[in-house]
């Protein structure tokens, strides 16, 4: 088998695996309501496969540097969510989603101009979430209508994440860890939720899913920080596992606390 054919087949396999993760998580998010849906959406179901495939192709130093670039991008994502949530209450999908995407691109473009340390990345997240979480709180409690699935849902979701993985894997060798870390953090799941749910159930219920993702997204940022430190100390495999464990434990804690609060109120 030629090297070119081997690369193409491996790339297709990686794209398929990543697409399967995102499609499954998106269905769960739709069927479980805005609270659980928001938590599921902040699991590393898009960035996770991208980083796993990067780790197969590059050393631990590359992954650690990529994580430093990814960390402040998480702050850009919460501002993207805030933009969409506020506009989606009254505006169309094109205006709401387009503006949110523009905000993410603008902030990401500024972020890539600087060399980020772990401390600076954490500070950026704390400031961003300190501003956005209180502003999003009022949009969280909206009843989720029944979602009817259409034939193009799965191909659309699969193509979004497969394209992201293809870009990350194919370009990582020449764009370096900084740009790879930025691209890997593009919020594919959030974009999929906006594009698919907004026309079907309306802006406010769709916005509620993203509003409920704020605390989960904060945990995702901590997981990126854990990945950076752990990859340096223990290697890529352990670092990626500890990052995943951080995300899962954080979201389970949020779910448990929310469930206990509802019991107390009842």
């Amino acid at each position: 088998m030629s090297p070119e054919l081997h690369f193409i087949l491996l790339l297709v396999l990686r794209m398929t695996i990543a697409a399967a993760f995102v499609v499954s998580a998106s269905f769960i998010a739709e069927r479980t309501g805005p609270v659980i849906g928001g938590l599921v959406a902040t699991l590393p179901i898009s960035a996770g496969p991208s980083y796993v495939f990067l780790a197969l192709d590059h050393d631990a130093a590359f992954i650690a540097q990529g994580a430093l670039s990814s960390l402040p991008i998480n702050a850009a994502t919460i501002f993207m969510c805030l933009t969409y949530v506020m506009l989606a209450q009254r505006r169309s999908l094109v205006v709401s989603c387009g503006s949110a995407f523009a905000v993410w691109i603008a902030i990401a473009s500024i972020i890539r101009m600087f060399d980020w340390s772990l401390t600076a990345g954490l500070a950026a997240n704390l400031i961003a979430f300190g501003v956005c979480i209180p502003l999003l709180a009022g949009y969280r409690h909206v009843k989720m209508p029944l979602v009817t699935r259409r034939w193009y849902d799965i191909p659309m979701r699969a193509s979004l994440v497969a394209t992201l993985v293809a870009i990350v894997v194919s370009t990582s060798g020449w764009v370096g860890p900084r740009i790879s870390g930025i691209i890997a953090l593009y919020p594919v799941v959030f974009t999929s939720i906006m594009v698919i749910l907004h026309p079907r159930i309306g802006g406010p219920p769709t916005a509620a899913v993203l509003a409920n993702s704020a605390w989960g997204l904060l945990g995702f940022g901590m997981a990126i920080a854990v990945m950076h430190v752990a990859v340096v100390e223990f290697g890529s495999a352990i670092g990626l596992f500890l990052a995943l464990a951080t995300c899962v434990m954080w979201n389970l804690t949020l779910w448990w606390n929310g469930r206990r609060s509802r019991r107390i109120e009842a």
Side-chain angles (χ1 to χ4, degrees):
M1 184 182 297
S2 67
E4 293 80 8
L5 181 57
H6 180 269
F7 173 80
I8 292 173
L9 292 177
L10 188 59
L11 179 60
V12 171
L13 176 62
R14 292 173 175 182
M15 292 166 66
T16 303
I17 293 172
F21 274 107
V22 171
V23 169
S24 300
S26 298
F27 286 161
I28 294 173
E30 290 175 4
R31 297 302 180 184
T32 53
V35 176
I36 302 299
L39 294 178
V40 171
T42 55
L43 291 173
I45 50 181
S46 173
S50 296
Y51 263 107
V52 168
F53 298 141
L54 284 175
L56 293 174
D57 296 332
H58 302 279
D59 59 14
F62 187 102
I63 302 303
Q65 183 60 43
L68 283 182
S69 297
S70 292
L71 186 55
I73 290 297
N74 196 54
T77 300
I78 191 61
F79 278 113
M80 175 185 182
C81 288
L82 178 63
T83 302
Y84 173 80
V85 167
M86 298 187 73
L87 289 176
Q89 304 304 311
R90 296 179 178 274
R91 304 296 180 180
S92 66
L93 169 64
V94 174
V95 173
S96 304
C97 190
S99 299
F101 177 75
V103 166
W104 191 91
I105 291 294
I107 298 177
S109 299
I110 295 172
I111 288 172
R112 69 176 294 272
M113 297 170 61
F114 301 94
D115 290 322
W116 291 83
S117 66
L118 179 60
T119 302
L122 288 171
N125 274 261
L126 289 175
I127 293 171
F129 283 86
V131 171
C132 293
I133 286 178
L135 294 176
L136 289 168
Y139 301 99
R140 295 171 55 191
H141 304 291
V142 177
K143 185 178 180 181
M144 178 69 75
L146 180 65
V147 179
T148 56
R149 194 174 303 146
R150 297 180 183 174
W151 67 268
Y152 54 80
D153 285 359
I154 292 178
M156 179 185 293
R157 290 170 175 150
S159 62
L160 281 172
V161 68
T163 300
L164 176 68
V165 169
I167 292 173
V168 171
V169 172
S170 301
T171 63
S172 63
W174 59 273
V175 301
R178 289 178 58 189
I179 303 301
S180 296
I182 291 173
I183 297 174
L185 259 284
Y186 179 75
V188 168
V189 176
F190 288 165
T191 301
S192 172
I193 290 172
M194 294 177 202
V195 172
I196 291 175
L197 293 188
H198 189 125
R200 217 160 299 175
I201 63 176
T206 306
V209 176
L210 270 64
N212 277 283
S213 72
W215 283 103
L217 200 58
L218 177 60
F220 181 69
M222 291 190 292
I224 297 172
V226 168
M227 180 174 68
H228 167 73
V229 175
V231 162
V232 173
E233 295 294 329
F234 307 112
S236 296
I238 295 178
L240 290 170
F241 173 78
L242 290 176
L244 175 61
T246 300
C247 270
V248 172
M249 292 304 298
W250 174 265
N251 281 12
L252 284 175
T253 301
L254 292 175
W255 172 77
W256 177 257
N257 287 339
R259 184 180 180 185
R260 186 174 62 179
S261 298
R262 288 191 295 271
R263 284 180 176 176
I264 292 174
E265 291 174 358

